[in-house]
Amino acid sequence: MFRQFRSEVETALADALANLDLPTDDLGIEEPPEEMDAILASSASFRLAGELGAAPPQVAAEIAEAVAAVIDDADFEYLSDVTVAGPYLNFETTEAYLDDTLASGIDEDYGALEDRDTSVVVEHTSANPTGPIHVGRARNPIIGDAVANVLDMAGYDVDRHYYVNDAGRQMAVFTWAYETFDETDLEDPPARNRIEYDLVRYYRKGNSYLEEADPEDVEAAEDEIQSILQGLEAGNEETYERVQTVVDQVLSGMQECLARLPADFDEFVKETRFMRDGSTDAIADRLQADDHAVYEEDAWQLELDEWGIDKNLVFLRSDGTSLYTTRDLAHHEWKLEEYDRAVTVLGEDHKLQADQLNATLEILDNDVSRLENVIYSYVNLPEGKMSTRRGTGVMLDDLLDEAIDRAREEVETRLDDRIRDDELTEADVERIAHQVGIGAVRYDVVSKQPAKAITFEWDRALDFEAQSAPYIQYVHARCCGILEEAAAADIPIPGADATSAGAADASAIDANVLETAEARDLLGEIARFPAVIEDAASELKPHIVATYTRKIADAYNSFYRECPVLTAETDELRDARLALVCASKHTVANALSVLGVEPPESM
């Protein structure tokens, strides 16, 4: 409804400006200031004041008259009128807007847009399989999963990929160390009882050996490491299997960690795939034949000055072995063949590499307009016991453990009476602690613009009163509580399965009986949700959804304080408010799900 209303406003204003022989390139349509009772406004009068030689309020009045004429002549479904508030044009909705919003909101899938018949691959996380996932990289799976979710909700056919670096020197060192050393050679026990924490000790041992052993021993080790790299390059099956023995074990543990967020993947695409199928060699041959290719410093390189990049891209070593970027070029050409769009989530330290990749793909005659990157800054560590872990760094698992522990303490404090009275079991407390703790981490990370650095603060992330995940999760729990009370009192539930005894006839609910400002403001926020999804997907910015959840949570809490539902004055008003609660529940649940935050049914 809001999307259509916005479209009708754009049409009416553009036609009115054209009728006045005024430019239509900037309509100035925006959310009005809070003190204005309107859903959409236009500040175009500010831009046009100089051109017309009049004050903005006078210009707004003239434009409003022209807009009103357009509305009178048109057959708009949701745009009913335009008013003037100083320099602003305020656009008003029809009664059908409220009815249709409420009727749509009680659908459990509310907010999901129509199928676009467009395939998108979202590649994210892709941490090297050398050990546990570090907390500094936690932003990648959280942002990546939310980007994929919002695209899915917006009607795209989404695949989630993890690109596995299984061909570089790191994996050759890891494989050599795993085959060379045994448990007695390792100094410390695993930091956690999971396979990647166990095996990373071999990787660390191998690196320390290469730094500290006698030169002749290091030379022998380097020869073996180089033979592994050459074996992969040559497509030797035995070498491939040796490396995969390590890669697959470490990756399985990393998947267990990511499942805690959760962040799921449709496919783990291995780098060696593009060596084994010949596409990496084909890329190198095509680049060597290009005019931008030069052989300098014992390597083949591309000069990318034409793209404003002053650092050459090295794509082939003197010994004929490829580099990570060469293989990633083959990977990206494959993605462009398989998908309509390709989105990659990258840390800020990969920006130069991404620019080089895009320029090179353009040299190779690819349509780089179908490639999009989401660049993020890193997460600074919280204070407290997270600061050290026996010198091994802080892992994502550590952050999630502490989040759950802190959430459990908060839940037990807040729900002490209910726990004492046996209303909540230990399992309930544990469920809520996981939902709140993990939700707090995800929400705090995804709610910030990706390019801005984050300093994680526990007190803010777990604040039930502030605009955090628990604050919004509590709105969903409140909605569920009201609906449960209604069901217990045999009051028909709007949006329930029409075959059930507790179903209400949605078509009989009149949204226009919702006369309080709080109810109408809440309904207005609900109406915006599909447009929020559309905007977040268009801009690849899931934090837009997070900002929206704070607004609808505020609106719901105002409604909750001022508008009794089950004890409303009339059955008609009760049913309308109950429908509004139902629509709020679905909207909040779907918005939180896009962000990867669980919507609890009780808190």
Side-chain angles (χ1 to χ4, degrees), residues 60-111:
E62 184 177 350
I63 297 173
E65 187 176 344
V67 170
V70 172
I71 294 173
D72 287 342
D73 291 340
D75 186 22
F76 293 128
E77 186 174 0
Y78 295 137
L79 175 58
S80 66
D81 201 1
V82 60
T83 59
V84 177
Y88 289 95
L89 299 173
N90 287 340
F91 299 93
E92 299 183 0
T93 62
T94 61
E95 291 186 355
Y97 179 83
L98 296 177
D99 278 335
D100 290 355
T101 296
L102 197 56
S104 298
I106 60 178
D107 184 339
E108 287 188 358
D109 295 327
Y110 180 63

Side-chain angles (χ1 to χ4, degrees), residues 116 150-151 154 156 341 532-541:
R116 297 172 187 262
V150 78
L151 286 168
Y156 293 93
R341 291 173 61 190
V532 167
I533 293 296
E534 186 171 54
D535 291 345
S538 174
E539 299 181 37
L540 298 178
K541 292 180 178 178

Side-chain angles (χ1 to χ4, degrees), residues 120-124 140 143-144 147 151 309 328 331-332 335-336 341-359 361 368-377 450-451 536-542:
V120 184
V121 58
V122 178
E123 177 202 330
H124 68 84
N140 198 313
I143 292 175
V147 167
L151 286 168
I309 302 171
D328 202 20
H331 171 220
H332 273 73
K335 288 197 287 189
L336 288 171
R341 291 173 61 190
V343 178
T344 308
V345 181
L346 297 167
E348 58 190 359
D349 56 336
H350 287 80
K351 189 176 186 310
L352 172 61
Q353 177 187 323
D355 291 341
Q356 290 177 317
L357 187 89
N358 275 24
L361 286 167
V368 295
S369 68
R370 296 193 286 125
L371 297 176
E372 299 161 274
N373 295 323
V374 177
I375 307 291
Y376 66 92
S377 294
S538 174
E539 299 181 37
L540 298 178
K541 292 180 178 178

Side-chain angles (χ1 to χ4, degrees), residues 20 51 185 191 327 391 418:
L20 294 171
E51 187 166 336
D185 298 314
R327 302 185 283 270
R418 295 176 63 188

Side-chain angles (χ1 to χ4, degrees), residues 16-91:
L17 292 177
N19 292 340
L20 294 171
D21 293 325
L22 294 173
T24 61
D25 54 317
D26 183 5
L27 300 177
I29 295 172
E30 60 190 48
E31 288 188 40
E34 288 186 8
E35 62 271 15
M36 292 186 184
D37 185 19
I39 293 175
L40 278 178
S42 170
S43 59
S45 64
F46 290 104
R47 176 177 61 86
L48 298 170
E51 187 166 336
L52 293 176
Q58 292 175 278
V59 174
E62 184 177 350
I63 297 173
E65 187 176 344
V67 170
V70 172
I71 294 173
D72 287 342
D73 291 340
D75 186 22
F76 293 128
E77 186 174 0
Y78 295 137
L79 175 58
S80 66
D81 201 1
V82 60
T83 59
V84 177
Y88 289 95
L89 299 173
N90 287 340
F91 299 93

Side-chain angles (χ1 to χ4, degrees), residues 169 173 176-178 180-181 185-187 201-225:
R169 175 179 167 81
V173 170
W176 161 78
Y178 179 71
T180 301
F181 303 106
D185 298 314
L186 308 178
E187 295 181 1
R201 299 178 301 149
Y202 291 89
Y203 181 61
R204 291 179 184 141
K205 176 64 178 179
N207 280 305
S208 64
Y209 181 91
L210 294 174
E211 292 174 0
E212 300 166 2
D214 293 336
E216 58 270 23
D217 293 332
V218 171
E219 183 177 356
E222 288 289 358
D223 287 343
E224 178 59 25
I225 292 165

